Amino acid sequence: MTNLTTVASDVLLAGLRAAGEETRLRILALLGAGDLTVSDLTEILGQSQPRISRHLKLLHEAELVERYREGTYVFYALARQGRTARLGSSILALLSPDDAQVERDRARLADVRAARDHAAHNYFRSVAADWDRIRQLHIADGEVETAIRTTLGPDKIGSHLDIGTGTGRLLELLAPQTQHAVGVDLSFDMLAVARANLEQAGHLHVQLRPGDVYALPFDRDTFDVVTIHQVLHYLEEPGRAIAEAARVLAPGGRLLIVDFAPHELEFLRADHAHRRLGFSTEQMAQWLAEIGIHALETLELPTRGDGAGELIVTLWLARTEKKIARNGRKLGVAA
Ligand SMILES: C[S@@+](CC[C@H](N)C(=O)[O-])C[C@H]1O[C@@H](n2cnc3c(N)ncnc32)[C@H](O)[C@@H]1O
Protein backbone atom coordinates (compact mmCIF):
# COMPACT_ATOMS: atom_id res chain seq x y z
CA MET A 1 0.00 0.00 0.00
CA THR A 2 1.21 3.54 -0.67
CA ASN A 3 0.04 6.97 0.40
CA LEU A 4 2.08 8.77 -2.28
CA THR A 5 0.31 11.44 -4.29
CA THR A 6 0.56 10.42 -7.93
CA VAL A 7 0.39 12.65 -11.00
CA ALA A 8 -0.41 12.11 -14.66
CA SER A 9 2.51 11.18 -16.91
CA ASP A 10 2.47 14.51 -18.79
CA VAL A 11 2.80 16.45 -15.50
CA LEU A 12 5.61 14.18 -14.36
CA LEU A 13 7.39 14.48 -17.70
CA ALA A 14 7.13 18.29 -17.61
CA GLY A 15 8.61 18.27 -14.10
CA LEU A 16 11.43 15.91 -15.07
CA ARG A 17 12.22 17.97 -18.19
CA ALA A 18 12.34 21.17 -16.17
CA ALA A 19 14.66 19.66 -13.57
CA GLY A 20 16.74 17.81 -16.18
CA GLU A 21 19.13 20.63 -17.04
CA GLU A 22 22.35 21.56 -15.27
CA THR A 23 21.61 25.15 -14.27
CA ARG A 24 18.06 24.35 -13.23
CA LEU A 25 19.25 21.46 -11.09
CA ARG A 26 21.78 23.81 -9.48
CA ILE A 27 18.97 26.34 -8.86
CA LEU A 28 16.84 23.66 -7.20
CA ALA A 29 19.78 22.64 -5.01
CA LEU A 30 20.36 26.27 -3.97
CA LEU A 31 16.69 26.82 -3.18
CA GLY A 32 16.92 23.73 -0.98
CA ALA A 33 19.03 25.94 1.31
CA GLY A 34 16.52 28.80 1.49
CA ASP A 35 14.48 31.27 -0.55
CA LEU A 36 16.43 33.45 -3.02
CA THR A 37 15.83 36.29 -5.45
CA VAL A 38 16.81 36.38 -9.13
CA SER A 39 19.69 38.70 -8.33
CA ASP A 40 20.96 36.35 -5.58
CA LEU A 41 20.93 33.49 -8.08
CA THR A 42 22.57 35.64 -10.76
CA GLU A 43 25.38 36.49 -8.37
CA ILE A 44 25.87 32.92 -7.18
CA LEU A 45 25.66 31.21 -10.56
CA GLY A 46 27.52 33.90 -12.49
CA GLN A 47 24.98 33.89 -15.34
CA SER A 48 23.01 36.77 -16.81
CA GLN A 49 19.74 37.86 -15.23
CA PRO A 50 17.65 37.04 -18.36
CA ARG A 51 19.04 33.49 -18.42
CA ILE A 52 18.33 32.91 -14.75
CA SER A 53 14.84 34.39 -15.16
CA ARG A 54 14.18 32.02 -18.06
CA HIS A 55 15.26 29.00 -16.02
CA LEU A 56 13.11 30.12 -13.10
CA LYS A 57 10.14 30.60 -15.41
CA LEU A 58 10.45 27.00 -16.62
CA LEU A 59 10.80 25.66 -13.08
CA HIS A 60 7.80 27.72 -12.03
CA GLU A 61 5.68 26.53 -14.95
CA ALA A 62 6.54 22.94 -14.05
CA GLU A 63 5.42 23.72 -10.46
CA LEU A 64 8.82 22.82 -9.02
CA VAL A 65 9.31 26.28 -7.54
CA GLU A 66 6.93 28.90 -6.21
CA ARG A 67 7.43 32.63 -6.01
CA TYR A 68 6.20 35.46 -3.87
CA ARG A 69 6.57 39.21 -4.14
CA GLU A 70 7.81 41.46 -1.36
CA GLY A 71 8.02 45.11 -2.39
CA THR A 72 10.22 45.22 -5.48
CA TYR A 73 11.81 41.83 -4.70
CA VAL A 74 10.49 38.51 -5.94
CA PHE A 75 11.60 35.51 -3.89
CA TYR A 76 11.73 31.96 -5.25
CA ALA A 77 11.28 28.89 -3.07
CA LEU A 78 11.04 25.15 -3.60
CA ALA A 79 7.37 24.33 -4.14
CA ARG A 80 5.82 23.15 -0.90
CA GLN A 81 2.49 22.27 -2.42
CA GLY A 82 1.26 21.52 -5.90
CA ARG A 83 1.35 18.53 -8.16
CA THR A 84 5.12 18.17 -8.51
CA ALA A 85 6.28 19.53 -5.16
CA ARG A 86 7.42 16.06 -4.08
CA LEU A 87 9.35 15.59 -7.30
CA GLY A 88 11.65 18.50 -6.45
CA SER A 89 12.37 17.24 -2.93
CA SER A 90 12.85 13.67 -4.19
CA ILE A 91 15.40 14.80 -6.78
CA LEU A 92 17.27 16.84 -4.20
CA ALA A 93 17.29 13.90 -1.80
CA LEU A 94 19.17 11.93 -4.48
CA LEU A 95 21.77 14.63 -5.05
CA SER A 96 24.96 14.05 -3.09
CA PRO A 97 25.82 16.96 -0.78
CA ASP A 98 29.49 16.16 -1.55
CA ASP A 99 29.01 16.78 -5.26
CA ALA A 100 31.74 19.24 -6.31
CA GLN A 101 29.36 21.58 -8.13
CA VAL A 102 26.83 21.59 -5.29
CA GLU A 103 29.65 22.34 -2.83
CA ARG A 104 30.92 25.23 -4.97
CA ASP A 105 27.43 26.73 -5.28
CA ARG A 106 26.79 26.39 -1.55
CA ALA A 107 30.13 28.09 -0.82
CA ARG A 108 29.21 30.95 -3.15
CA LEU A 109 25.78 31.21 -1.47
CA ALA A 110 27.53 31.40 1.91
CA ASP A 111 29.77 34.22 0.57
CA VAL A 112 26.79 36.19 -0.74
CA ARG A 113 24.98 35.81 2.58
CA ALA A 114 28.09 36.68 4.57
CA ALA A 115 28.50 39.90 2.56
CA ARG A 116 24.91 40.87 3.39
CA ASP A 117 25.29 39.91 7.04
CA HIS A 118 28.41 42.06 7.11
CA ALA A 119 26.45 45.03 5.79
CA ALA A 120 23.72 44.48 8.43
CA HIS A 121 26.38 44.06 11.11
CA ASN A 122 27.98 47.38 10.10
CA TYR A 123 24.56 48.99 10.23
CA PHE A 124 24.02 47.82 13.83
CA ARG A 125 27.52 48.90 14.79
CA SER A 126 26.77 52.39 13.50
CA VAL A 127 23.34 52.70 15.14
CA ALA A 128 23.94 50.90 18.47
CA ALA A 129 24.19 54.07 20.57
CA ASP A 130 21.07 55.50 18.93
CA TRP A 131 19.01 52.32 18.56
CA ASP A 132 16.42 53.03 21.28
CA ARG A 133 15.41 56.18 19.36
CA ILE A 134 15.54 54.60 15.88
CA ARG A 135 13.32 51.70 17.00
CA GLN A 136 10.54 54.18 17.72
CA LEU A 137 10.69 55.97 14.36
CA HIS A 138 7.88 53.88 12.92
CA ILE A 139 6.03 52.53 15.90
CA ALA A 140 5.80 53.71 19.48
CA ASP A 141 7.41 51.38 22.05
CA GLY A 142 4.57 51.88 24.55
CA GLU A 143 1.82 50.14 22.57
CA VAL A 144 4.04 47.22 21.61
CA GLU A 145 5.29 46.78 25.15
CA THR A 146 1.78 46.83 26.59
CA ALA A 147 0.74 44.20 24.04
CA ILE A 148 3.76 42.04 24.91
CA ARG A 149 3.01 42.22 28.63
CA THR A 150 -0.67 41.42 28.06
CA THR A 151 0.13 38.53 25.73
CA LEU A 152 2.62 36.92 28.13
CA GLY A 153 0.51 37.67 31.20
CA PRO A 154 1.62 38.74 34.67
CA ASP A 155 2.82 35.35 36.01
CA LYS A 156 6.44 34.72 36.95
CA ILE A 157 8.65 33.46 34.12
CA GLY A 158 11.28 30.94 35.21
CA SER A 159 13.75 31.54 32.40
CA HIS A 160 13.59 33.98 29.50
CA LEU A 161 15.78 34.16 26.41
CA ASP A 162 15.67 37.25 24.19
CA ILE A 163 17.19 36.53 20.77
CA GLY A 164 18.79 39.49 18.94
CA THR A 165 18.36 41.49 22.11
CA GLY A 166 20.02 44.65 20.76
CA THR A 167 20.00 47.24 23.54
CA GLY A 168 18.17 44.79 25.84
CA ARG A 169 14.82 46.56 25.88
CA LEU A 170 12.74 43.38 26.09
CA LEU A 171 14.96 41.97 28.85
CA GLU A 172 14.34 45.14 30.81
CA LEU A 173 10.61 45.04 30.16
CA LEU A 174 10.20 41.48 31.44
CA ALA A 175 12.92 41.64 34.13
CA PRO A 176 10.48 42.29 37.02
CA GLN A 177 8.75 38.96 36.34
CA THR A 178 11.70 36.78 35.29
CA GLN A 179 13.77 34.65 37.64
CA HIS A 180 16.59 34.26 35.16
CA ALA A 181 17.01 35.95 31.78
CA VAL A 182 19.58 35.98 28.99
CA GLY A 183 19.91 38.18 25.95
CA VAL A 184 21.89 37.05 22.91
CA ASP A 185 23.17 39.22 20.08
CA LEU A 186 25.85 39.05 17.43
CA SER A 187 26.78 42.72 17.78
CA PHE A 188 29.24 43.61 20.56
CA ASP A 189 28.28 47.27 20.13
CA MET A 190 24.61 46.49 20.81
CA LEU A 191 25.56 44.25 23.76
CA ALA A 192 27.66 47.05 25.26
CA VAL A 193 24.66 49.40 25.23
CA ALA A 194 22.42 46.62 26.63
CA ARG A 195 24.90 45.99 29.46
CA ALA A 196 24.93 49.65 30.43
CA ASN A 197 21.10 49.83 30.30
CA LEU A 198 20.61 46.72 32.44
CA GLU A 199 23.23 47.76 35.00
CA GLN A 200 21.67 51.16 35.30
CA ALA A 201 18.26 49.58 35.87
CA GLY A 202 19.80 47.25 38.50
CA HIS A 203 18.70 44.00 36.82
CA LEU A 204 21.47 41.79 38.13
CA HIS A 205 19.70 38.50 37.30
CA VAL A 206 19.84 39.28 33.58
CA GLN A 207 22.82 38.10 31.54
CA LEU A 208 24.08 38.98 28.08
CA ARG A 209 25.93 36.68 25.72
CA PRO A 210 27.33 37.03 22.25
CA GLY A 211 25.70 34.48 19.97
CA ASP A 212 24.18 33.80 16.60
CA VAL A 213 20.44 33.29 16.09
CA TYR A 214 21.24 30.24 13.94
CA ALA A 215 23.46 28.54 16.54
CA LEU A 216 22.36 29.58 20.00
CA PRO A 217 24.90 28.80 22.73
CA PHE A 218 22.40 26.78 24.82
CA ASP A 219 21.22 23.19 25.23
CA ARG A 220 17.85 22.14 23.93
CA ASP A 221 14.78 22.51 26.22
CA THR A 222 16.35 25.30 28.31
CA PHE A 223 13.95 28.28 28.38
CA ASP A 224 10.32 28.81 29.42
CA VAL A 225 9.85 31.90 27.27
CA VAL A 226 11.80 32.86 24.14
CA THR A 227 11.26 36.24 22.48
CA ILE A 228 12.39 37.43 19.03
CA HIS A 229 11.58 41.11 18.81
CA GLN A 230 12.15 42.94 15.50
CA VAL A 231 14.98 40.66 14.41
CA LEU A 232 13.59 38.31 11.75
CA HIS A 233 13.29 40.96 9.03
CA TYR A 234 17.09 41.39 9.08
CA LEU A 235 17.73 37.71 8.46
CA GLU A 236 18.43 35.68 5.36
CA GLU A 237 16.69 32.61 6.80
CA PRO A 238 13.99 33.58 9.29
CA GLY A 239 12.50 30.06 9.27
CA ARG A 240 15.84 28.56 10.36
CA ALA A 241 16.11 31.11 13.18
CA ILE A 242 12.62 30.16 14.40
CA ALA A 243 13.56 26.47 14.36
CA GLU A 244 16.68 27.22 16.42
CA ALA A 245 14.59 29.23 18.91
CA ALA A 246 12.19 26.29 19.23
CA ARG A 247 15.14 23.95 19.91
CA VAL A 248 16.07 25.77 23.12
CA LEU A 249 12.46 26.15 24.27
CA ALA A 250 11.43 23.81 27.11
CA PRO A 251 8.42 21.50 26.60
CA GLY A 252 5.30 23.60 27.07
CA GLY A 253 7.38 26.79 26.69
CA ARG A 254 6.21 29.86 24.80
CA LEU A 255 7.74 31.54 21.78
CA LEU A 256 6.79 35.16 21.18
CA ILE A 257 7.74 36.65 17.82
CA VAL A 258 7.21 40.36 17.25
CA ASP A 259 7.77 41.77 13.78
CA PHE A 260 6.22 43.81 11.01
CA ALA A 261 3.24 42.67 8.96
CA PRO A 262 3.91 42.72 5.18
CA HIS A 263 4.56 46.28 3.99
CA GLU A 264 5.88 48.19 0.99
CA LEU A 265 8.44 50.50 2.55
CA GLU A 266 11.23 49.57 0.19
CA PHE A 267 13.61 52.25 1.53
CA LEU A 268 13.96 50.24 4.74
CA ARG A 269 16.09 47.76 2.82
CA ALA A 270 18.54 50.38 1.62
CA ASP A 271 18.54 52.73 4.62
CA HIS A 272 18.04 50.34 7.53
CA ALA A 273 19.45 47.00 6.33
CA HIS A 274 16.06 45.22 6.29
CA ARG A 275 16.13 42.05 4.23
CA ARG A 276 12.43 41.20 4.39
CA LEU A 277 9.48 43.60 4.20
CA GLY A 278 7.47 42.04 7.02
CA PHE A 279 5.77 38.66 7.40
CA SER A 280 2.26 37.40 6.89
CA THR A 281 0.54 35.24 9.48
CA GLU A 282 0.31 32.45 6.85
CA GLN A 283 4.08 32.55 6.38
CA MET A 284 4.67 32.51 10.12
CA ALA A 285 2.19 29.64 10.61
CA GLN A 286 3.99 27.66 7.91
CA TRP A 287 7.42 28.09 9.54
CA LEU A 288 5.97 27.11 12.91
CA ALA A 289 4.12 24.11 11.46
CA GLU A 290 7.33 22.91 9.78
CA ILE A 291 8.89 22.50 13.24
CA GLY A 292 5.76 21.03 14.76
CA ILE A 293 4.53 23.95 16.85
CA HIS A 294 1.38 25.94 16.35
CA ALA A 295 0.58 29.61 16.73
CA LEU A 296 -1.79 30.21 19.63
CA GLU A 297 -2.48 33.85 19.16
CA THR A 298 -1.87 36.59 16.60
CA LEU A 299 -2.25 40.23 17.48
CA GLU A 300 -1.92 43.06 14.97
CA LEU A 301 -1.16 46.51 16.32
CA PRO A 302 -2.30 49.45 14.23
CA THR A 303 0.05 52.09 12.83
CA ARG A 304 0.75 55.23 14.79
CA GLY A 305 -1.59 57.19 12.57
CA ASP A 306 0.69 60.23 12.52
CA GLY A 307 2.00 59.65 9.02
CA ALA A 308 5.27 58.22 10.39
CA GLY A 309 4.92 55.11 8.26
CA GLU A 310 2.66 52.36 7.07
CA LEU A 311 3.95 49.80 9.48
CA ILE A 312 1.85 47.35 11.43
CA VAL A 313 3.54 45.41 14.21
CA THR A 314 2.30 41.85 14.71
CA LEU A 315 2.75 39.56 17.71
CA TRP A 316 2.70 35.81 17.14
CA LEU A 317 2.59 33.60 20.22
CA ALA A 318 3.23 29.86 19.95
CA ARG A 319 3.68 27.07 22.49
CA THR A 320 5.69 23.86 22.22
CA GLU A 321 4.08 20.53 23.07
CA LYS A 322 4.28 19.42 26.67
CA LYS A 323 6.06 16.11 27.28
CA ILE A 324 3.70 13.19 27.75
CA ALA A 325 4.55 11.14 30.84
CA ARG A 326 4.12 7.34 30.87
CA ASN A 327 0.79 7.66 32.68
CA GLY A 328 -0.48 9.92 29.89
CA ARG A 329 -0.34 13.12 31.98
CA LYS A 330 1.15 16.16 30.25
CA LEU A 331 4.34 17.41 31.85
CA GLY A 332 5.86 20.79 31.23
CA VAL A 333 6.95 24.05 32.63
CA ALA A 334 4.64 26.67 33.96
CA ALA A 335 5.62 29.98 32.51
C1 LIG B 1 16.46 45.63 15.02
S1 LIG B 1 17.52 45.11 16.22
C2 LIG B 1 16.34 44.64 17.44
C3 LIG B 1 16.92 44.69 18.79
C4 LIG B 1 15.90 44.45 19.89
N1 LIG B 1 15.33 43.11 19.82
C5 LIG B 1 14.85 45.53 19.83
O1 LIG B 1 13.74 45.22 19.40
O2 LIG B 1 15.16 46.65 20.17
C6 LIG B 1 18.04 43.56 15.57
C7 LIG B 1 19.14 42.93 16.38
O3 LIG B 1 19.39 41.64 15.86
C8 LIG B 1 20.78 41.41 15.93
N2 LIG B 1 21.13 40.37 14.96
C9 LIG B 1 21.06 40.45 13.61
N3 LIG B 1 21.47 39.28 13.07
C10 LIG B 1 21.80 38.47 14.11
C11 LIG B 1 22.28 37.14 14.21
N4 LIG B 1 22.52 36.39 13.12
N5 LIG B 1 22.50 36.62 15.43
C12 LIG B 1 22.27 37.36 16.57
N6 LIG B 1 21.81 38.63 16.52
C13 LIG B 1 21.58 39.16 15.33
C14 LIG B 1 21.40 42.76 15.58
O4 LIG B 1 22.73 42.85 16.03
C15 LIG B 1 20.45 43.69 16.31
O5 LIG B 1 20.88 43.97 17.60
Side-chain angles (χ1 to χ4, degrees), residues 246-247 249-255 292-294 318-322:
R247 181 186 69 79
L249 203 53
R254 290 176 296 166
L255 171 64
I293 57 179
H294 298 282
R319 192 188 277 275
T320 54
E321 275 290 306
K322 295 187 179 189

Side-chain angles (χ1 to χ4, degrees), residues 109-129:
L109 170 64
D111 287 347
V112 167
R113 284 184 169 156
R116 259 201 229 102
D117 285 347
H118 189 66
H121 199 62
N122 281 345
Y123 169 77
F124 286 115
R125 169 173 295 170
S126 67
V127 301

Side-chain angles (χ1 to χ4, degrees), residues 35-295:
D35 304 356
L36 295 168
T37 64
V38 179
S39 60
D40 293 335
L41 287 163
T42 304
E43 207 174 330
I44 295 162
L45 296 168
Q47 297 185 22
S48 72
Q49 187 139 336
R51 276 182 79 114
I52 298 293
S53 295
R54 238 188 345 268
H55 285 307
L56 284 167
K57 185 166 179 283
L58 285 169
L59 289 169
H60 185 249
E61 281 166 2
E63 300 178 33
L64 288 170
V65 305
E66 53 196 34
R67 60 183 178 199
Y68 53 93
R69 177 172 286 282
E70 232 191 59
T72 58
Y73 284 32
V74 177
F75 282 89
Y76 288 84
L78 285 185
R80 295 181 177 93
Q81 45 206 7
R83 293 178 299 177
T84 46
R86 291 193 59 254
L87 178 62
S89 48
S90 306
I91 290 171
L92 287 186
L94 290 169
L95 187 59
S96 165
D98 302 329
D99 177 82
Q101 185 64 68
V102 171
E103 271 187 352
R104 276 198 297 276
D105 287 346
R106 286 270 166 103
R108 189 76 196 109
L109 170 64
D111 287 347
V112 167
R113 284 184 169 156
R116 259 201 229 102
D117 285 347
H118 189 66
H121 199 62
N122 281 345
Y123 169 77
F124 286 115
R125 169 173 295 170
S126 67
V127 301
D130 208 20
W131 177 251
D132 287 329
R133 184 188 64 78
I134 293 173
R135 188 180 50 233
Q136 302 195 54
L137 281 181
H138 300 288
I139 193 99
D141 272 353
E143 296 163 54
V144 181
E145 293 181 356
T146 304
I148 291 171
R149 276 185 205 272
T150 309
T151 303
L152 289 176
D155 293 348
K156 281 266 172 242
I157 294 171
S159 51
H160 168 215
L161 169 66
D162 186 35
I163 297 176
T165 196
T167 53
R169 180 67 204 134
L170 233 60
L171 293 169
E172 253 190 284
L173 180 76
L174 297 176
Q177 68 188 100
T178 53
Q179 279 161 354
H180 170 64
V182 193
V184 163
D185 204 287
L186 211 52
S187 161
F188 287 100
D189 302 271
M190 283 292 203
L191 288 174
V193 179
R195 195 159 282 119
N197 287 346
L198 290 162
E199 274 171 16
Q200 200 177 9
H203 297 309
L204 301 176
H205 64 298
V206 180
Q207 295 174 337
L208 292 163
R209 282 186 65 172
D212 191 337
V213 296
Y214 298 120
L216 295 168
F218 307 107
D219 292 339
R220 61 170 56 250
D221 299 351
T222 302
F223 295 96
D224 301 330
V225 168
V226 174
T227 49
I228 314 178
H229 183 258
Q230 299 293 13
V231 178
L232 293 182
H233 60 255
Y234 292 98
L235 302 181
E236 290 294 317
E237 299 177 89
R240 191 152 74 85
I242 293 172
E244 178 62 355
R247 181 186 69 79
V248 300
L249 203 53
R254 290 176 296 166
L255 171 64
L256 179 66
I257 298 170
V258 183
D259 218 297
F260 296 124
H263 62 84
E264 304 262 320
L265 301 185
E266 195 66 48
F267 75 93
L268 291 175
R269 290 200 220 260
D271 296 356
H272 294 279
H274 290 205
R275 168 72 171 150
R276 308 295 302 269
L277 300 185
F279 304 101
S280 67
T281 291
E282 293 71 39
Q283 172 68 86
M284 204 54 77
Q286 187 179 328
W287 280 324
L288 291 169
E290 277 167 13
I291 50 170
I293 57 179
H294 298 282

